Amino acid sequence: MSYELNFDEYIQYIENNRFYSVVGKVTQVIGLTIVVQGIRSFVGEVCEILLDDSGENSVLAEVVGFRGQQVLLMPLGDLKGVGAGCKVIPTGKILTIPVGEELLGRILDGLGRPMEGPMPPLKDYYSVERTPPNPLKRKRITRIMPTGVRAIDGLLTCGEGQRIGIFAGSGVGKSTLLGMISRYCDADVNVIGLIGERGREVRDFIEKDLGREGLKKSVVVCATSDQPALIRLKGAYVATTIAEYFRDKGMKVMLMMDSVTRFAMAKREVGLAIGEPPATKGYTPSVFAELPKLLERSGTSDKGSITAFYTVLVDGDDMNEPIADAVRGILDGHIVLSRKLANRNHFPAIDVQQSISRLAKEIITQEQDMLAGEFRNALATYEKSEDLINIGAYAKGSNPEIDRAIDLNSPINEFLKQDINEKADYDSAVQAMREIINGN
């Protein structure tokens, strides 16, 4: 008995499988950049750098660019121990993180790893590099998202799925305001990204601003300023990815990121390290390309919503500096915190005149829109005549509009002030506005 062997399936098996591993080696370490030869890779691929021949000690790095046949990597950890000749093994994968409801109440590092205590194994994995939802599948924003802050709910009303920037210089109260929103907002889950923060501020925010009650329904992603640029960069993506997981479950998610400016600074470090030319104020062109990719990932989808507050740290209180200008053009509104108000012990130091919610008119009632307009007019009129009023040069009765602005100024400012431990109900805030306008 004879039979004919079919070699085609064996040939196909050999062609479809790799029976060897490709290993590169480190040739140079220049600043933050590791130069590798001998591997074929793609941008975003995670590689493992072996620090010794045993393979027990290693550091992860990510491909960030190419120079001829050389691959440029940046570490996802400490560079210590990396030297010429170290073996580099490409994993063929991009960075992924485990996700699940077990993350609630947890504090994670910039790569999505728990910072305190072990965590039960999670079944789902999400890539940190995800595309924004299809614009045609995004639900329109029609519902109000109460934040528990009177000044925002009354005059800068935020919609469910809206993205708003909080613009301020250092020390004006951005983190404290975020803490209030995280505790009092009407969201199912909070995801908080602390990107490039000082180490001391992280614990202060968690224990003082967020509180233990707020932490129970929150996930905190922390990448402090001493971490490598790539980890600070990934921290922003990890926080957004976790928010997307809960959105995919149909939940109302509140995403807060402090701050987008430090994300942009980390991206600038990466760009300059691989030879990208600096542009405006030293920021590389890739920074301005990366900002919309990050910020557009939040918002509504066909399943749930991510309402997002991004803080922007402005240099010298210049609201028109490059990052502030770029972010303001991407988001659906901006809240400006004023150092002048903060110095008067006015908290939250929201400058209502310079702030705007682009969707407020579409989601609030006509009456509330009229009340908010009255507030703004009174504040603008008083500010224009403040010098005359303060030196006693204005005679009461000369101008009815200024007289009304003087009468309204004190109750309006009392309305806009709020203690950090006070939660403001949305309906009560609108009722207070009504009483101030109709009672004066």
Side-chain angles (χ1 to χ4, degrees):
M1 180 178 178
S2 64
Y3 59 89
E4 187 176 326
L5 286 173
N6 183 4
F7 289 100
D8 291 342
E9 59 180 277
Y10 296 104
I11 293 169
Q12 189 176 5
Y13 178 78
I14 292 169
E15 288 176 347
N16 292 340
N17 290 273
R18 181 184 284 182
F19 298 97
Y20 60 90
S21 60
V22 177
V23 178
K25 68 174 182 177
V26 174
T27 58
Q28 281 182 306
V29 177
I30 307 169
L32 301 172
T33 311
I34 303 166
V35 182
V36 176
Q37 283 186 335
I39 58 172
R40 295 186 66 181
S41 203
F42 57 88
V43 172
E45 182 178 7
V46 176
C47 297
E48 186 179 11
I49 303 174
L50 306 181
L51 303 181
D52 52 43
D53 292 334
S54 68
E56 294 180 3
N57 298 315
S58 63
V59 64
L60 294 179
E62 185 178 289
V63 177
V64 293
F66 303 93
R67 187 182 297 148
Q69 297 298 313
Q70 298 173 323
V71 180
L72 306 180
L73 281 73
M74 292 192 79
L76 292 166
D78 197 349
L79 263 174
K80 195 177 293 181
V82 177
C86 285
K87 293 178 181 177
V88 180
I89 302 173
T91 64
K93 301 175 183 176
I94 61 176
L95 184 65
T96 59
I97 59 165
V99 289
E101 295 192 11
E102 294 85 353
L103 292 174
L104 290 174
R106 290 283 180 169
I107 302 165
L108 312 176
D109 67 7
L111 299 179
R113 301 172 299 200
M115 294 183 70
E116 49 176 13
M119 192 163 59
L122 304 176
K123 296 179 181 178
D124 296 323
Y125 280 79
Y126 271 34
S127 163
V128 299
E129 303 281 349
R130 294 165 59 85
T131 56
N134 185 325
L136 299 180
K137 291 186 178 179
R138 286 186 186 267
K139 292 179 183 175
R140 291 191 64 224
I141 296 172
T142 56
R143 290 184 290 187
I144 293 168
M145 169 63 80
T147 63
V149 180
R150 264 195 308 271
I152 297 175
D153 289 347
L155 301 171
L156 306 164
T157 313
C158 177
E160 188 183 310
Q162 189 171 347
R163 302 158 305 149
I164 293 183
I166 299 176
F167 295 73
S170 56
V172 185
K174 298 185 301 300
S175 299
T176 308
L177 180 57
L178 284 186
M180 286 181 68
I181 295 170
S182 64
R183 289 199 306 273
Y184 304 142
C185 70
D186 186 25
D188 300 323
V189 177
N190 295 321
V191 181
I192 302 160
L194 302 176
I195 311 303
E197 290 291 301
R198 292 182 283 271
R200 173 192 61 80
E201 290 183 330
V202 172
R203 186 151 197 169
D204 280 355
F205 179 85
I206 292 169
E207 294 187 358
K208 186 181 75 173
D209 298 329
L210 183 60
R212 286 296 166 187
E213 286 303 312
L215 184 60
K216 286 181 182 177
K217 68 166 189 174
S218 303
V219 183
V220 179
V221 178
C222 169
T224 52
S225 57
D226 60 299
Q227 295 289 310
L230 208 55
I231 291 186
R232 281 178 274 141
L233 204 60
K234 294 300 178 189
Y237 292 126
V238 167
T240 306
T241 301
I242 293 170
E244 287 172 327
Y245 166 78
F246 286 108
R247 178 177 65 186
D248 289 348
K249 295 291 182 184
M251 296 184 180
K252 290 191 295 184
V253 185
M254 176 64 76
L255 170 64
M256 285 166 278
M257 193 171 295
D258 188 12
S259 69
V260 172
T261 306
R262 293 193 174 110
F263 166 83
M265 289 176 175
K267 184 63 182 174
R268 176 174 63 183
E269 283 183 49
V270 172
L272 293 174
I274 62 174
E276 199 178 346
T280 314
K281 277 202 173 181
Y283 287 104
T284 55
S286 63
V287 172
F288 301 100
E290 206 68 32
L291 282 172
K293 289 182 183 177
L294 174 70
L295 302 179
E296 284 290 342
R297 285 172 61 178
S298 54
T300 58
S301 72
D302 55 344
K303 296 173 183 173
S305 68
I306 299 174
T307 308
F309 281 84
Y310 299 97
T311 68
V312 180
L313 181 65
V314 293
D315 287 336
D317 293 341
D318 177 14
M319 298 300 164
N320 297 313
E321 60 97 29
I323 298 302
D325 217 25
V327 171
R328 190 164 45 235
I330 299 167
L331 299 180
D332 308 317
H334 53 271
I335 296 170
V336 175
L337 303 187
S338 162
R339 193 174 298 278
K340 183 179 174 183
L341 288 174
N343 291 339
R344 292 179 184 171
N345 199 31
H346 184 296
F347 180 83
I350 297 173
D351 188 334
V352 173
Q353 298 297 90
Q354 293 191 61
S355 307
I356 189 170
S357 169
R358 292 192 177 121
L359 294 173
K361 285 182 178 291
E362 297 182 23
I363 56 177
I364 62 176
T365 63
Q366 190 173 354
E367 183 202 14
Q368 187 183 344
D369 186 33
M370 182 202 69
L371 294 171
E374 291 264 9
F375 267 54
R376 290 177 186 275
N377 288 339
L379 288 170
T381 302
Y382 187 88
E383 186 180 346
K384 192 164 56 176
S385 310
E386 189 172 11
D387 290 341
L388 291 174
I389 296 166
N390 289 340
I391 64 174
Y394 174 73
K396 193 167 184 180
S398 304
N399 186 320
E401 192 176 345
I402 296 176
D403 290 343
R404 181 161 173 76
I406 293 171
D407 292 338
L408 288 173
N409 188 63
S410 182
I412 286 176
N413 279 315
E414 285 304 312
F415 172 86
L416 296 176
K417 288 181 184 178
Q418 187 173 335
D419 186 82
I420 59 172
N421 296 314
E422 176 193 356
K423 179 181 178 180
D425 178 68
Y426 178 82
D427 293 328
S428 300
V430 177
Q431 178 60 27
M433 291 173 66
R434 191 180 293 121
E435 290 172 0
I436 289 170
I437 295 299
N438 296 335
N440 284 277

